Amino acid sequence: MNRTTILLNPGPVVLSERVRRALLRPDLCHREPEFAELQGRIRENLLRVYELDPERWSAVLLTGSGTSAMEAMLTSLTPDNGRLLVIENGVYGERLSRIAAIHGIHHESLHHEWGAPIDLARLEQALAADRFDRVAVVHHETTTGRLNDLAAVARLCRERGAPLLVDGVSSFGAEAIDFEGWGLAGLAATANKCLHGVPGVSFVLARRQALESPPAPRSLYLDLGSYYRQQEAGGTPFTQSVQCFYALDEALAELFDEGGQPVRRERYRALAARVRSGLEELGIGALLPAGDSSCVLTAYRLPAGVDYPTLHDHLKARGFVIYAGQGGLEKTLFRISTMGAIGEEDIDRLLQAFSELSSPGE
Ligand SMILES: *Cc1c(COP(=O)(O)O)cnc(C)c1O
């Protein structure tokens, strides 16, 4: 595969040259002051993405993919013997439930069909019927591209005094997130999606108060309490992925130079709209209306008579990697993300490649 392959899968993303070059900074020991400085700067800058008050909020950095941050968040921010309500409407919501089950966290799942919007009346009933210490939900459900209505979910949770834990892995850095207004308790995210870093680093943003009095550890490696204590002192409990930290540091600097999260969201929106209208002209429709979809990824229906492997290989031969539907959806859907260092000319070449897809029988 050559360097000009354009990744349209939901992370890892096409890196800018600036971020790629950051991987070549000097070798560094994670017990040296230079590492403490690097780690401290990333933690501060992660808070700056949404202008969070560093007196109240903290970012805890982990070496691991986005799922490690989900698991660290649920296990470290659900109180001892706490009860968790998990909202599911896709693969990642169901993953939150699995994490809770594996760690023996008392939980209930409010299940929805993949792609369905969260049923607020059912959520309200569930919260009224039982006492929950935490609610967990996915912001952008990457399974279908649906952007869940966090403002509405958060309002119900606030009314019932059940703090909200969010999987923001595929929204952090691009979608609007009102941490204070929505009263969030914590959010898990990763370096290699909307932040345009490399895979290998993830993080949880949480309120300092919660990090300072965590429950008894449910995991050795994913205990946010110990990461927080040591990172506050410039250290780290375990070896961090130094080169991935370099890349994230540079990716955050690049994000700010480009105008920050609101500008990134507009850029993703413009690219997604270009794909959507171009594919529509070719008779390929989106699963969800634009207003229900994130700016990050859109799911499309496979054109009649074209299966996913054929579409994938046709596009890959022309330099584009797209993503299949998950679970049973690979038979009917494909997905296109517009994250990463890509531009309008890449989208236009993608649409050209789609137009060269011969219909069956031709
Ligand atoms: C990508 C993603 C994850 C994490 O996936 P990893 O493969 O562990 O990085 C979690 N939640 C959502 C919503 C995602 O899109």
Side-chain angles (χ1 to χ4, degrees), residues 65-67 70 92 95 138 140 142 167 169-170 193:
S65 82
T67 304
M70 293 165 74
Y92 297 99
R95 185 173 296 179
V138 177
H140 165 216
T142 322
D167 170 352
V169 175
S170 62
K193 293 199 184 184

Side-chain angles (χ1 to χ4, degrees), residues 51-275:
E51 291 169 14
L52 296 181
D53 178 0
E55 301 273 310
R56 297 161 57 80
W57 291 88
S58 184
V60 180
L61 283 162
L62 303 166
T63 287
S65 82
T67 304
S68 67
M70 293 165 74
E71 192 157 359
M73 175 178 74
L74 285 195
T75 55
S76 307
L77 299 178
T78 305
D80 293 312
N81 295 313
R83 287 176 50 75
L84 178 70
L85 178 66
V86 182
I87 303 173
E88 303 176 344
N89 61 345
V91 167
Y92 297 99
E94 293 179 12
R95 185 173 296 179
L96 289 167
S97 291
R98 278 197 67 203
I99 292 169
I102 286 168
H103 290 278
I105 295 172
H106 308 299
H107 71 286
E108 230 170 79
S109 303
L110 190 67
H111 182 79
H112 300 71
E113 291 296 307
W114 291 4
I118 295 171
D119 182 336
L120 296 171
R122 274 181 65 211
L123 175 61
E124 193 164 20
Q125 274 168 16
L127 289 169
D130 224 327
R131 148 123 221 112
F132 291 99
D133 299 282
R134 296 288 182 274
V135 175
V137 68
V138 177
H139 187 199
H140 165 216
E141 194 31 282
T142 322
T143 316
T144 56
R146 178 174 287 283
L147 188 67
N148 283 322
D149 184 356
L150 273 202
V153 168
R155 193 177 329 111
L156 295 176
C157 293
R158 263 197 327 276
E159 281 167 16
R160 291 286 167 182
L164 191 56
L165 299 173
V166 176
D167 170 352
V169 175
S170 62
S171 58
F172 186 91
E175 296 289 357
I177 304 174
D178 185 358
F179 283 79
E180 289 290 1
W182 296 345
L184 303 188
L187 180 138
T190 188
N192 66 292
K193 293 199 184 184
C194 311
L195 292 181
H196 299 183
V198 302
V201 191
S202 61
F203 52 92
V204 177
L205 302 195
R207 292 177 189 267
R208 284 189 186 270
Q209 217 174 12
L211 292 167
E212 273 156 18
S213 49
R218 294 180 167 101
S219 159
L220 174 76
Y221 191 71
L222 297 174
D223 173 31
L224 285 183
S226 64
Y227 280 90
Y228 174 73
R229 277 191 302 281
Q230 297 203 33
Q231 290 184 5
E232 283 296 289
T236 168
F238 311 105
T239 311
Q240 297 276 28
S241 179
V242 176
Q243 282 74 13
C244 294
F245 274 46
Y246 281 152
L248 177 55
D249 184 38
E250 197 64 38
L252 285 164
E254 186 177 59
L255 172 66
F256 296 132
D257 287 350
E258 289 173 0
Q261 169 267 322
V263 171
R264 183 151 295 178
R265 181 173 57 160
E266 287 319 305
R267 175 188 162 77
Y268 285 1
R269 277 193 177 165
L271 293 174
R274 203 174 183 91
V275 178

